[in-house]
Amino acid sequence: MRAHSIRAICLALTLAGAAGAQTYTVKVKQNPDPGKSAVNTDKETRGGTVKVVAADGKVLTDRTLESTKEETYTEVVLEKGAKAPRKYTRAYEKAGVTAGGKTAPRSFQGRTLLFEQKGGKYVVTAEDKSALDPRDATELAGLAEERANELDEVILPQKPVKIGEKWTIDVKALAVGYARIGELDAAKTTGEGVLTRVYEKDGHQFGVLEVRLKLAVKTSQGLKFDPPAVMEAKFTLDAAIDGSGTAATLTMTGTMTGKGVGEGMGMKYIVDMNTTMNVKQVRTGEK
């Protein structure tokens, strides 16, 4: 009996070791196939403080940030592109911003928008042909550009990994992806990820990945930081890692601290920021 138990324990340990050695090639499907759709629910909360001071020391702005942006929309891909869909629609059931205890709808709530790539840039128009708020149109086009840059792929492991295995993120590739909005100091930027769990769900192989980034930001949105501002972020992605479906849940917490110099309206100013951001994005499987 004792010998049998020892053999059973040895066999169990051997199998456990073999299972632990299994590697996974992580591939996340970012977009539905042409003609298919997925429902997205996004929530983004921002907080912190921002102080703007003129060169002569006069305080121009000193405010506390507190806002929440929420959107629910159904996206339908019409034409596939090289990196992101070249043409797609979004029917926004909900699109609002809460600030100062008041919630206001954005200009595209309850409307269907067309996103189309023209001349390498995205153009956003309303299906009903009526005008969008220019600020909304600019923001949505910018987000579409970010999506086309496939920055998400940079933070995924570039080779098969085991559960619990960490990988180092290519900071040079990260800097290239960030270049649309600013410049990173790659020598002071770090990032790593780890695959924490793998499981089966609805016939798909799911996995949970955690990614931590520490970015040294030299420039962003027209501001120059010397020394670089520090942006730290933690991402948790729970998604099909075999590339077989679009269902995914992404959560992110982040902070940014730094003092930058900007110029506008004929004057120079200093921006001292200490901000936070929390994001949760849920996407259904494609239908």
Side-chain angles (χ1 to χ4, degrees), residues 262-282:
E263 189 171 351
M265 299 181 67
M267 64 182 294
K268 290 186 177 181
Y269 52 87
I270 298 172
V271 179
D272 191 350
M273 63 174 63
N274 186 349
T275 60
T276 64
M277 182 166 67
N278 293 277
V279 174
K280 183 174 183 180
Q281 299 177 337
V282 180

Side-chain angles (χ1 to χ4, degrees), residues 53-129:
V53 181
D56 61 4
K58 181 181 179 180
V59 177
L60 303 176
T61 302
D62 189 357
R63 61 193 178 103
T64 298
L65 303 177
E66 185 180 348
S67 66
T68 300
K69 181 172 69 175
E70 296 184 85
E71 297 177 356
T72 300
Y73 57 88
T74 300
E75 180 173 283
V76 180
V77 173
L78 303 177
E79 293 182 22
K80 186 177 180 180
K83 295 182 178 180
R86 196 190 73 80
K87 188 176 182 180
Y88 57 96
T89 62
R90 284 183 175 179
Y92 284 88
E93 176 186 337
K94 180 179 182 179
V97 176
T98 301
K102 297 181 180 179
T103 301
R106 304 189 71 179
S107 66
F108 50 91
Q109 177 169 288
R111 304 169 71 182
T112 298
L113 306 185
L114 173 66
F115 294 72
E116 188 170 12
Q117 205 172 38
K118 296 181 178 180
K121 298 289 184 180
Y122 278 93
V123 177
V124 183
T125 56
E127 191 177 66
D128 60 12
K129 306 299 182 183

Side-chain angles (χ1 to χ4, degrees), residues 19 33 35 45 49 82 97-98 122 150 162 184 280 283 287:
D33 291 330
T45 302
T49 58
V97 176
T98 301
Y122 278 93
E150 286 192 342
K162 297 179 288 186
L184 298 180
K280 183 174 183 180
R283 182 177 62 215
K287 295 182 179 180

